[in-house]
Amino acid sequence: MLFFVFSSFSKETDYHSKNNRFWTYANELKESLARLDTTANAYKLHKTEIGNVKLAVKSARLSYKKIEFYLSFYHQEYVNEHINGAPLLHIKKTGMLPDVIPPEGLQVLDELVYEEDENLDANLIATNSRKLYNAYQLLYEGLKTKTIEPEKEIAAMRLGLIRVFTLGVTGFDTPGSLNAIEEAKISMQAMMSFFKEYQKQSPLKELQEIINLFSKSINYLEQPASFTNFDRLVFLKSYINPLYRKLGEIDQKEIPNFLPYVSSWNPKSKSIFSEDFLNPYFFTELKKEEDSKELNALGKKLFYDSTLSENQQMSCASCHNPKMAFTDGQPKSFSNVEGKTVLRNSPTLLNAVYAERFFYDLRAFSLEQQAEHVIFNPDEFNTAYDAILKKIVDNKQYTEGFKKVFGKNQVNRVNFSKALSSYVLSLTSFDSEFDEYINNEEVYLPREVKDGFNLFMGKANCATCHFPPTFSGLVPPFYSDSESEILGVLKNPKEKEVLLDTDEGRWQNSISNEKAWIYEKSFKTTTVRNSGLTAPYFHNGAYATLEEVIDFYNDGGGEGKGLEVTNQTLSSDALNLSDKEKQDLIAFIKSLNGKKAMILNQ
């Protein structure tokens, strides 16, 4: 741990002054957005060409990247809503029924100006440019009242590194231009410049090492490489992760008070791929200080107890078998009625806690609520808490276990949920071959796995929905929101007649303020980790092998198959992966199989 405090700033580096680097960049962004607004309006009036608008968008984006790490840290919600959010329709919950809101900001413009000529919409480009300029004007005025505290910006920079790697070089942030590598370089240069100002105040050897790492990462980004050929694995292992670790060794004055309430990120973690990178308790009603080995053991006993269900034949493990990576290997899980299945496939519970929402249709908001749906479901446990608690009270081993953990007369619904959550959230899996390589615990990784990772993070577009390190829809860098996607999954991919699966997904999750057409056939983006052990795939279990899954994505989902899919969020463009690239992708995916999970699977 490096113990020092950034203090005693000279007049030249006074962060309250409007002459420091932050305000230089903030003013540059204001000016570039004004030029973009003017250029977009000229294009609408047929006074300039689209090429000039593209240049103006590029300039604005590069200016934004210089202070993105700060703005997106302290103003996350506003930035996502108005400055640089994903170019996807979303909802605003104004009453019983939601309003569908079009996206705004730099990502939207990056996509709009790179449309095919016949699809270019000058009015829409101009409108979005004006909205963006006005939105930043409002944010800019608000920034004048802020005190920029350097000791807090280390956390912002560490999340900035995560953003560069997970949303930047993957192309998520540049859906039209794919100018991801240059934007990553600008982001890294800006963070290095901020850090250099700190280093002037505390010229320690260790701080110079961080400057050197920044410099080397920028040099690497300057090497000639296309979006497709850029080696993201080297970038992660040699630059991003070491920088993340070194910055984390700096003893900060304090972590911003808001952070634990808006993010599951653990500032004490030393690697983006370490098991403690995220805080699982962020997603549960159970608090960390309430958890214990005894509570976990009690939860494990409940998890495997079939007597708790109404027919005394079904336990949690019936659909989440540890020998099958906590799935059941069925297309759709069996119900408590012979010959009948439940609605959907059983997802793995490994790393399942790392989600803001639960079930394929996102109908549950916590692990505890997820268990309730199973308990009350007539096709599953078909029971109620009163019946379960009575069975526990009548069982001497349980009463002793609850007393040991909670004290006398503590068999109740809340403590039952805490015990079950304790066990489920302990089912983590960050011990794969790939994790060990990234964390320097292993020196060798097969060439096909390396190539597969670079495909996953680049050309194949997998990481624009399956974000590292969970490789799920848990969105970086705050890791507090879960995404759902519309893929156009087929009813039976093996049949000649191509039919869309009829499951309506999130649109029918019984949450009234999410009853919006943009969620028709939308399903949670589940983790890719351990998917080499969890066949069959997707919510309907219709895809038996990883090869079938890769082919589905390679063809562009349902739309790519010629089907009409409402608001498909997966690009319908073919990926044009070669047979070797497909096998490399699968090799990488299998390298994410956890070692403990594989031992149980034998």
Side-chain angles (χ1 to χ4, degrees), residues 91-141:
I91 61 172
K92 187 173 183 180
K93 301 169 187 177
T94 55
M96 290 300 293
L97 294 177
D99 293 328
V100 175
I101 307 297
E104 300 176 13
L106 288 163
Q107 283 193 51
V108 174
L109 283 162
D110 190 83
E111 194 168 61
L112 285 175
V113 300
Y114 282 91
E115 289 279 5
E116 298 293 332
D117 288 349
E118 63 270 19
N119 295 326
L120 286 168
D121 188 329
N123 286 322
L124 194 56
I125 291 169
T127 299
N128 273 276
S129 298
R130 175 57 56 88
K131 282 183 178 180
L132 176 59
Y133 176 71
N134 290 338
Y136 181 66
Q137 283 281 89
L138 186 61
L139 180 57
Y140 180 87
E141 291 301 314

CSV table of all heavy atoms in Angstrom, one decimal, residues 91-141:
chain,number,residue,atom,x,y,z
A,91,ILE,N,-37.3,2.7,-21.2
A,91,ILE,CA,-38.6,3.2,-20.7
A,91,ILE,C,-38.4,4.2,-19.5
A,91,ILE,O,-37.4,4.2,-18.8
A,91,ILE,CB,-39.4,2.0,-20.2
A,91,ILE,CG1,-38.7,1.2,-19.0
A,91,ILE,CG2,-39.8,1.1,-21.3
A,91,ILE,CD1,-39.6,0.2,-18.4
A,92,LYS,N,-39.4,5.0,-19.4
A,92,LYS,CA,-39.5,5.9,-18.3
A,92,LYS,C,-40.8,5.6,-17.5
A,92,LYS,O,-41.9,5.6,-18.1
A,92,LYS,CB,-39.5,7.4,-18.7
A,92,LYS,CG,-39.4,8.4,-17.6
A,92,LYS,CD,-39.3,9.8,-18.1
A,92,LYS,CE,-39.1,10.8,-17.0
A,92,LYS,NZ,-38.9,12.2,-17.5
A,93,LYS,N,-40.6,5.3,-16.2
A,93,LYS,CA,-41.8,4.8,-15.5
A,93,LYS,C,-42.5,6.0,-14.9
A,93,LYS,O,-42.2,6.5,-13.8
A,93,LYS,CB,-41.3,3.9,-14.4
A,93,LYS,CG,-40.6,2.7,-14.9
A,93,LYS,CD,-39.9,1.9,-13.8
A,93,LYS,CE,-39.0,0.8,-14.4
A,93,LYS,NZ,-38.3,0.0,-13.4
A,94,THR,N,-43.5,6.5,-15.6
A,94,THR,CA,-44.3,7.7,-15.2
A,94,THR,C,-45.6,7.4,-14.5
A,94,THR,O,-46.2,8.2,-13.9
A,94,THR,CB,-44.6,8.6,-16.4
A,94,THR,OG1,-45.2,7.8,-17.4
A,94,THR,CG2,-43.3,9.1,-17.0
A,95,GLY,N,-46.0,6.1,-14.6
A,95,GLY,CA,-47.3,5.8,-14.0
A,95,GLY,C,-47.4,4.2,-14.1
A,95,GLY,O,-46.5,3.5,-14.0
A,96,MET,N,-48.7,3.8,-14.2
A,96,MET,CA,-48.9,2.3,-14.3
A,96,MET,C,-48.3,1.8,-15.6
A,96,MET,O,-47.8,0.6,-15.6
A,96,MET,CB,-50.4,2.1,-14.3
A,96,MET,CG,-51.0,2.3,-12.9
A,96,MET,SD,-50.3,1.3,-11.6
A,96,MET,CE,-50.8,-0.3,-12.1
A,97,LEU,N,-48.3,2.5,-16.7
A,97,LEU,CA,-47.8,2.1,-17.9
A,97,LEU,C,-46.6,2.9,-18.3
A,97,LEU,O,-46.6,4.1,-18.1
A,97,LEU,CB,-48.8,2.1,-19.0
A,97,LEU,CG,-50.0,1.1,-18.9
A,97,LEU,CD1,-51.0,1.4,-20.0
A,97,LEU,CD2,-49.5,-0.3,-18.9
A,98,PRO,N,-45.5,2.3,-18.8
A,98,PRO,CA,-44.3,3.1,-19.1
A,98,PRO,C,-44.3,3.8,-20.4
A,98,PRO,O,-45.1,3.4,-21.3
A,98,PRO,CB,-43.2,2.0,-19.1
A,98,PRO,CG,-44.0,0.8,-19.7
A,98,PRO,CD,-45.4,0.9,-19.1
A,99,ASP,N,-43.5,4.9,-20.5
A,99,ASP,CA,-43.3,5.6,-21.8
A,99,ASP,C,-42.0,5.1,-22.4
A,99,ASP,O,-41.0,4.9,-21.7
A,99,ASP,CB,-43.2,7.1,-21.6
A,99,ASP,CG,-44.6,7.7,-21.1
A,99,ASP,OD1,-45.6,7.2,-21.5
A,99,ASP,OD2,-44.5,8.7,-20.3
A,100,VAL,N,-42.0,4.9,-23.7
A,100,VAL,CA,-40.8,4.4,-24.4
A,100,VAL,C,-40.1,5.7,-24.8
A,100,VAL,O,-40.6,6.6,-25.4
A,100,VAL,CB,-41.2,3.6,-25.6
A,100,VAL,CG1,-39.9,3.3,-26.4
A,100,VAL,CG2,-41.9,2.3,-25.2
A,101,ILE,N,-38.8,5.8,-24.4
A,101,ILE,CA,-38.0,7.0,-24.6
A,101,ILE,C,-36.8,6.6,-25.6
A,101,ILE,O,-36.1,5.6,-25.4
A,101,ILE,CB,-37.4,7.4,-23.3
A,101,ILE,CG1,-38.4,7.6,-22.2
A,101,ILE,CG2,-36.5,8.7,-23.4
A,101,ILE,CD1,-39.4,8.7,-22.5
A,102,PRO,N,-36.7,7.5,-26.6
A,102,PRO,CA,-35.5,7.2,-27.5
A,102,PRO,C,-34.2,7.6,-26.8
A,102,PRO,O,-34.2,8.5,-26.0
A,102,PRO,CB,-35.8,8.2,-28.7
A,102,PRO,CG,-36.7,9.3,-28.1
A,102,PRO,CD,-37.5,8.6,-27.0
A,103,PRO,N,-33.1,7.0,-27.2
A,103,PRO,CA,-31.8,7.3,-26.6
A,103,PRO,C,-31.3,8.6,-27.1
A,103,PRO,O,-31.7,9.1,-28.1
A,103,PRO,CB,-31.0,6.1,-27.0
A,103,PRO,CG,-31.6,5.7,-28.3
A,103,PRO,CD,-33.0,5.9,-28.2
A,104,GLU,N,-30.3,9.2,-26.3
A,104,GLU,CA,-29.7,10.4,-26.7
A,104,GLU,C,-28.2,10.3,-26.5
A,104,GLU,O,-27.7,9.4,-25.8
A,104,GLU,CB,-30.2,11.6,-25.8
A,104,GLU,CG,-31.7,11.8,-25.9
A,104,GLU,CD,-32.1,12.9,-24.9
A,104,GLU,OE1,-31.2,13.6,-24.4
A,104,GLU,OE2,-33.3,13.1,-24.7
A,105,GLY,N,-27.5,11.2,-27.2
A,105,GLY,CA,-26.0,11.3,-26.8
A,105,GLY,C,-25.1,10.9,-27.9
A,105,GLY,O,-25.4,10.6,-29.1
A,106,LEU,N,-23.8,10.8,-27.5
A,106,LEU,CA,-22.7,10.5,-28.4
A,106,LEU,C,-22.8,9.2,-29.1
A,106,LEU,O,-22.4,9.1,-30.3
A,106,LEU,CB,-21.4,10.7,-27.7
A,106,LEU,CG,-21.0,12.2,-27.3
A,106,LEU,CD1,-20.0,12.2,-26.3
A,106,LEU,CD2,-20.6,12.9,-28.6
A,107,GLN,N,-23.2,8.1,-28.4
A,107,GLN,CA,-23.3,6.8,-29.0
A,107,GLN,C,-24.4,6.8,-30.1
A,107,GLN,O,-24.2,6.2,-31.2
A,107,GLN,CB,-23.6,5.7,-28.0
A,107,GLN,CG,-22.4,5.3,-27.2
A,107,GLN,CD,-22.7,4.1,-26.4
A,107,GLN,OE1,-23.1,3.1,-26.9
A,107,GLN,NE2,-22.4,4.1,-25.1
A,108,VAL,N,-25.5,7.5,-29.8
A,108,VAL,CA,-26.5,7.6,-30.8
A,108,VAL,C,-26.0,8.3,-32.1
A,108,VAL,O,-26.3,7.8,-33.2
A,108,VAL,CB,-27.7,8.4,-30.2
A,108,VAL,CG1,-28.8,8.6,-31.2
A,108,VAL,CG2,-28.3,7.6,-29.0
A,109,LEU,N,-25.3,9.4,-31.9
A,109,LEU,CA,-24.8,10.1,-33.0
A,109,LEU,C,-23.8,9.3,-33.8
A,109,LEU,O,-23.7,9.3,-35.0
A,109,LEU,CB,-24.2,11.5,-32.6
A,109,LEU,CG,-25.3,12.5,-32.3
A,109,LEU,CD1,-24.7,13.6,-31.4
A,109,LEU,CD2,-25.9,13.1,-33.6
A,110,ASP,N,-22.9,8.6,-33.1
A,110,ASP,CA,-21.9,7.7,-33.7
A,110,ASP,C,-22.6,6.7,-34.6
A,110,ASP,O,-22.1,6.4,-35.7
A,110,ASP,CB,-21.1,7.0,-32.7
A,110,ASP,CG,-19.9,6.3,-33.3
A,110,ASP,OD1,-18.9,7.0,-33.5
A,110,ASP,OD2,-20.0,5.1,-33.5
A,111,GLU,N,-23.8,6.2,-34.2
A,111,GLU,CA,-24.5,5.3,-35.0
A,111,GLU,C,-25.3,6.0,-36.2
A,111,GLU,O,-25.2,5.5,-37.3
A,111,GLU,CB,-25.5,4.5,-34.1
A,111,GLU,CG,-26.1,3.3,-34.8
A,111,GLU,CD,-26.9,2.4,-33.7
A,111,GLU,OE1,-27.8,2.9,-33.1
A,111,GLU,OE2,-26.5,1.3,-33.5
A,112,LEU,N,-25.9,7.1,-35.9
A,112,LEU,CA,-26.7,7.8,-36.9
A,112,LEU,C,-25.9,8.3,-38.1
A,112,LEU,O,-26.3,8.1,-39.3
A,112,LEU,CB,-27.4,9.0,-36.3
A,112,LEU,CG,-28.6,8.8,-35.4
A,112,LEU,CD1,-29.0,10.1,-34.7
A,112,LEU,CD2,-29.7,8.1,-36.1
A,113,VAL,N,-24.7,8.8,-37.9
A,113,VAL,CA,-23.9,9.4,-39.0
A,113,VAL,C,-23.2,8.3,-39.8
A,113,VAL,O,-22.7,8.6,-40.9
A,113,VAL,CB,-22.9,10.4,-38.5
A,113,VAL,CG1,-23.6,11.5,-37.8
A,113,VAL,CG2,-21.8,9.8,-37.6
A,114,TYR,N,-23.2,7.0,-39.3
A,114,TYR,CA,-22.6,6.0,-40.1
A,114,TYR,C,-23.7,5.0,-40.7
A,114,TYR,O,-23.3,3.9,-41.1
A,114,TYR,CB,-21.6,5.2,-39.3
A,114,TYR,CG,-20.3,5.9,-39.1
A,114,TYR,CD1,-20.1,6.8,-38.0
A,114,TYR,CD2,-19.3,5.8,-40.0
A,114,TYR,CE1,-18.9,7.5,-37.9
A,114,TYR,CE2,-18.1,6.4,-39.9
A,114,TYR,CZ,-17.9,7.3,-38.9
A,114,TYR,OH,-16.7,8.0,-38.7
A,115,GLU,N,-24.9,5.5,-40.8
A,115,GLU,CA,-25.9,4.7,-41.5
A,115,GLU,C,-25.6,4.7,-43.0
A,115,GLU,O,-24.9,5.6,-43.5
A,115,GLU,CB,-27.3,5.4,-41.3
A,115,GLU,CG,-27.9,5.3,-39.9
A,115,GLU,CD,-28.5,3.9,-39.7
A,115,GLU,OE1,-28.5,3.1,-40.6
A,115,GLU,OE2,-29.1,3.7,-38.6
A,116,GLU,N,-26.2,3.7,-43.7
A,116,GLU,CA,-26.1,3.8,-45.2
A,116,GLU,C,-26.7,5.1,-45.7
A,116,GLU,O,-27.6,5.6,-45.1
A,116,GLU,CB,-26.9,2.6,-45.7
A,116,GLU,CG,-26.3,1.2,-45.3
A,116,GLU,CD,-24.9,0.9,-45.9
A,116,GLU,OE1,-24.6,1.5,-47.0
A,116,GLU,OE2,-24.1,0.2,-45.3
A,117,ASP,N,-26.2,5.5,-46.8
A,117,ASP,CA,-26.6,6.8,-47.4
A,117,ASP,C,-28.1,7.0,-47.4
A,117,ASP,O,-28.7,8.0,-47.1
A,117,ASP,CB,-26.0,7.1,-48.7
A,117,ASP,CG,-24.5,7.3,-48.7
A,117,ASP,OD1,-24.0,7.5,-47.5
A,117,ASP,OD2,-23.9,7.3,-49.7
A,118,GLU,N,-28.8,5.9,-47.9
A,118,GLU,CA,-30.3,6.0,-48.0
A,118,GLU,C,-31.0,6.1,-46.7
A,118,GLU,O,-32.2,6.4,-46.7
A,118,GLU,CB,-30.8,4.8,-48.9
A,118,GLU,CG,-30.6,3.4,-48.2
A,118,GLU,CD,-29.3,2.8,-48.6
A,118,GLU,OE1,-28.3,3.5,-49.0
A,118,GLU,OE2,-29.1,1.6,-48.4
A,119,ASN,N,-30.3,5.7,-45.6
A,119,ASN,CA,-31.0,5.8,-44.3
A,119,ASN,C,-30.6,6.9,-43.4
A,119,ASN,O,-31.0,7.1,-42.3
A,119,ASN,CB,-30.6,4.5,-43.5
A,119,ASN,CG,-31.2,3.2,-44.2
A,119,ASN,OD1,-32.3,3.3,-44.8
A,119,ASN,ND2,-30.5,2.1,-44.1
A,120,LEU,N,-29.7,7.8,-44.0
A,120,LEU,CA,-29.3,9.0,-43.2
A,120,LEU,C,-30.4,9.9,-43.0
A,120,LEU,O,-31.2,10.2,-43.9
A,120,LEU,CB,-28.2,9.7,-43.9
A,120,LEU,CG,-26.8,9.1,-43.9
A,120,LEU,CD1,-25.9,9.8,-44.9
A,120,LEU,CD2,-26.2,9.1,-42.5
A,121,ASP,N,-30.6,10.4,-41.7
A,121,ASP,CA,-31.7,11.2,-41.3
A,121,ASP,C,-31.1,12.5,-40.8
A,121,ASP,O,-30.8,12.7,-39.6
A,121,ASP,CB,-32.6,10.5,-40.3
A,121,ASP,CG,-33.9,11.3,-40.0
A,121,ASP,OD1,-33.9,12.5,-40.1
A,121,ASP,OD2,-34.8,10.6,-39.6
A,122,ALA,N,-31.1,13.6,-41.7
A,122,ALA,CA,-30.4,14.8,-41.3
A,122,ALA,C,-31.2,15.5,-40.1
A,122,ALA,O,-30.5,16.1,-39.3
A,122,ALA,CB,-30.4,15.7,-42.5
A,123,ASN,N,-32.5,15.4,-40.1
A,123,ASN,CA,-33.2,16.1,-39.1
A,123,ASN,C,-32.9,15.4,-37.7
A,123,ASN,O,-32.8,16.1,-36.7
A,123,ASN,CB,-34.8,16.0,-39.4
A,123,ASN,CG,-35.2,16.9,-40.5
A,123,ASN,OD1,-34.7,18.1,-40.5
A,123,ASN,ND2,-36.1,16.5,-41.3
A,124,LEU,N,-32.9,14.1,-37.7
A,124,LEU,CA,-32.6,13.4,-36.5
A,124,LEU,C,-31.2,13.6,-36.0
A,124,LEU,O,-31.0,13.8,-34.8
A,124,LEU,CB,-32.8,11.9,-36.7
A,124,LEU,CG,-32.9,11.0,-35.5
A,124,LEU,CD1,-34.0,11.4,-34.5
A,124,LEU,CD2,-33.1,9.5,-35.9
A,125,ILE,N,-30.2,13.7,-36.9
A,125,ILE,CA,-28.9,14.0,-36.5
A,125,ILE,C,-28.8,15.4,-35.9
A,125,ILE,O,-28.2,15.6,-34.9
A,125,ILE,CB,-27.9,13.9,-37.8
A,125,ILE,CG1,-27.8,12.5,-38.2
A,125,ILE,CG2,-26.5,14.5,-37.4
A,125,ILE,CD1,-27.1,12.3,-39.5
A,126,ALA,N,-29.5,16.4,-36.5
A,126,ALA,CA,-29.4,17.8,-36.0
A,126,ALA,C,-30.1,17.9,-34.7
A,126,ALA,O,-29.7,18.6,-33.8
A,126,ALA,CB,-30.1,18.7,-37.0
A,127,THR,N,-31.3,17.2,-34.5
A,127,THR,CA,-32.0,17.2,-33.3
A,127,THR,C,-31.2,16.6,-32.1
A,127,THR,O,-31.1,17.2,-31.0
A,127,THR,CB,-33.3,16.4,-33.4
A,127,THR,OG1,-34.1,17.0,-34.4
A,127,THR,CG2,-34.1,16.4,-32.1
A,128,ASN,N,-30.5,15.5,-32.4
A,128,ASN,CA,-29.7,14.9,-31.4
A,128,ASN,C,-28.5,15.7,-31.0
A,128,ASN,O,-28.1,15.8,-29.9
A,128,ASN,CB,-29.3,13.5,-31.8
A,128,ASN,CG,-30.4,12.4,-31.4
A,128,ASN,OD1,-30.4,11.9,-30.3
A,128,ASN,ND2,-31.2,12.1,-32.4
A,129,SER,N,-27.9,16.4,-32.0
A,129,SER,CA,-26.8,17.2,-31.7
A,129,SER,C,-27.2,18.4,-30.9
A,129,SER,O,-26.4,18.8,-29.9
A,129,SER,CB,-26.2,17.7,-33.1
A,129,SER,OG,-25.7,16.7,-33.8
A,130,ARG,N,-28.3,19.0,-31.1
A,130,ARG,CA,-28.8,20.1,-30.3
A,130,ARG,C,-29.1,19.6,-28.9
A,130,ARG,O,-28.8,20.3,-27.9
A,130,ARG,CB,-30.0,20.8,-31.0
A,130,ARG,CG,-30.7,21.9,-30.2
A,130,ARG,CD,-29.7,23.0,-29.8
A,130,ARG,NE,-29.1,23.6,-31.0
A,130,ARG,CZ,-29.6,24.6,-31.6
A,130,ARG,NH1,-30.7,25.1,-31.3
A,130,ARG,NH2,-28.9,25.1,-32.7
A,131,LYS,N,-29.8,18.5,-28.8
A,131,LYS,CA,-30.1,18.0,-27.4
A,131,LYS,C,-28.8,17.7,-26.6
A,131,LYS,O,-28.7,18.0,-25.4
A,131,LYS,CB,-30.9,16.6,-27.6
A,131,LYS,CG,-32.3,16.8,-27.9
A,131,LYS,CD,-33.0,15.4,-27.9
A,131,LYS,CE,-34.5,15.5,-28.2
A,131,LYS,NZ,-35.1,14.1,-28.2
A,132,LEU,N,-27.8,17.2,-27.3
A,132,LEU,CA,-26.5,16.9,-26.6
A,132,LEU,C,-25.9,18.1,-26.2
A,132,LEU,O,-25.4,18.2,-25.0
A,132,LEU,CB,-25.6,16.1,-27.6
A,132,LEU,CG,-24.2,15.8,-27.1
A,132,LEU,CD1,-24.3,15.0,-25.8
A,132,LEU,CD2,-23.4,15.0,-28.2
A,133,TYR,N,-25.8,19.2,-27.0
A,133,TYR,CA,-25.2,20.4,-26.7
A,133,TYR,C,-25.9,21.0,-25.4
A,133,TYR,O,-25.3,21.5,-24.5
A,133,TYR,CB,-25.3,21.4,-27.8
A,133,TYR,CG,-24.7,22.8,-27.5
A,133,TYR,CD1,-23.4,23.0,-27.3
A,133,TYR,CD2,-25.6,23.9,-27.4
A,133,TYR,CE1,-22.9,24.2,-26.9
A,133,TYR,CE2,-25.1,25.1,-27.0
A,133,TYR,CZ,-23.7,25.3,-26.8
A,133,TYR,OH,-23.3,26.5,-26.5
A,134,ASN,N,-27.2,21.0,-25.5
A,134,ASN,CA,-28.0,21.6,-24.4
A,134,ASN,C,-27.8,20.8,-23.1
A,134,ASN,O,-27.7,21.4,-22.0
A,134,ASN,CB,-29.5,21.7,-24.7
A,134,ASN,CG,-29.8,22.7,-25.8
A,134,ASN,OD1,-29.0,23.7,-26.0
A,134,ASN,ND2,-30.9,22.6,-26.5
A,135,ALA,N,-27.8,19.5,-23.2
A,135,ALA,CA,-27.6,18.6,-22.0
A,135,ALA,C,-26.2,18.9,-21.4
A,135,ALA,O,-26.1,19.0,-20.2
A,135,ALA,CB,-27.7,17.2,-22.4
A,136,TYR,N,-25.2,19.0,-22.2
A,136,TYR,CA,-23.9,19.3,-21.6
A,136,TYR,C,-23.8,20.7,-21.0
A,136,TYR,O,-23.1,20.9,-20.0
A,136,TYR,CB,-22.8,19.1,-22.7
A,136,TYR,CG,-21.4,19.3,-22.1
A,136,TYR,CD1,-20.9,18.5,-21.1
A,136,TYR,CD2,-20.7,20.4,-22.4
A,136,TYR,CE1,-19.7,18.7,-20.5
A,136,TYR,CE2,-19.4,20.7,-21.9
A,136,TYR,CZ,-18.9,19.8,-20.9
A,136,TYR,OH,-17.7,20.0,-20.3
A,137,GLN,N,-24.5,21.7,-21.7
A,137,GLN,CA,-24.5,23.0,-21.1
A,137,GLN,C,-25.0,23.0,-19.7
A,137,GLN,O,-24.5,23.6,-18.8
A,137,GLN,CB,-25.4,23.9,-22.0
A,137,GLN,CG,-24.8,24.4,-23.2
A,137,GLN,CD,-23.9,25.5,-23.0
A,137,GLN,OE1,-22.7,25.3,-22.8
A,137,GLN,NE2,-24.4,26.8,-23.1
A,138,LEU,N,-26.1,22.2,-19.5
A,138,LEU,CA,-26.7,22.1,-18.1
A,138,LEU,C,-25.7,21.4,-17.2
A,138,LEU,O,-25.5,21.9,-16.0
A,138,LEU,CB,-28.0,21.3,-18.2
A,138,LEU,CG,-28.8,21.2,-16.9
A,138,LEU,CD1,-29.3,22.6,-16.5
A,138,LEU,CD2,-30.0,20.3,-17.2
A,139,LEU,N,-25.1,20.4,-17.6
A,139,LEU,CA,-24.1,19.7,-16.8
A,139,LEU,C,-22.9,20.6,-16.5
A,139,LEU,O,-22.4,20.7,-15.4
A,139,LEU,CB,-23.6,18.4,-17.5
A,139,LEU,CG,-22.6,17.5,-16.7
A,139,LEU,CD1,-23.1,17.1,-15.4
A,139,LEU,CD2,-22.2,16.3,-17.6
A,140,TYR,N,-22.4,21.3,-17.5
A,140,TYR,CA,-21.3,22.2,-17.4
A,140,TYR,C,-21.6,23.3,-16.3
A,140,TYR,O,-20.7,23.6,-15.5
A,140,TYR,CB,-21.0,22.9,-18.7
A,140,TYR,CG,-19.9,23.8,-18.8
A,140,TYR,CD1,-18.6,23.4,-19.0
A,140,TYR,CD2,-20.1,25.2,-18.6
A,140,TYR,CE1,-17.5,24.3,-19.1
A,140,TYR,CE2,-19.0,26.1,-18.6
A,140,TYR,CZ,-17.7,25.6,-18.9
A,140,TYR,OH,-16.7,26.5,-18.9
A,141,GLU,N,-22.8,23.9,-16.3
A,141,GLU,CA,-23.1,24.9,-15.3
A,141,GLU,C,-23.1,24.3,-13.9
A,141,GLU,O,-22.6,24.9,-12.9
A,141,GLU,CB,-24.5,25.5,-15.6
A,141,GLU,CG,-24.5,26.4,-16.9
A,141,GLU,CD,-23.5,27.5,-16.8
A,141,GLU,OE1,-23.5,28.2,-15.7
A,141,GLU,OE2,-22.8,27.7,-17.8
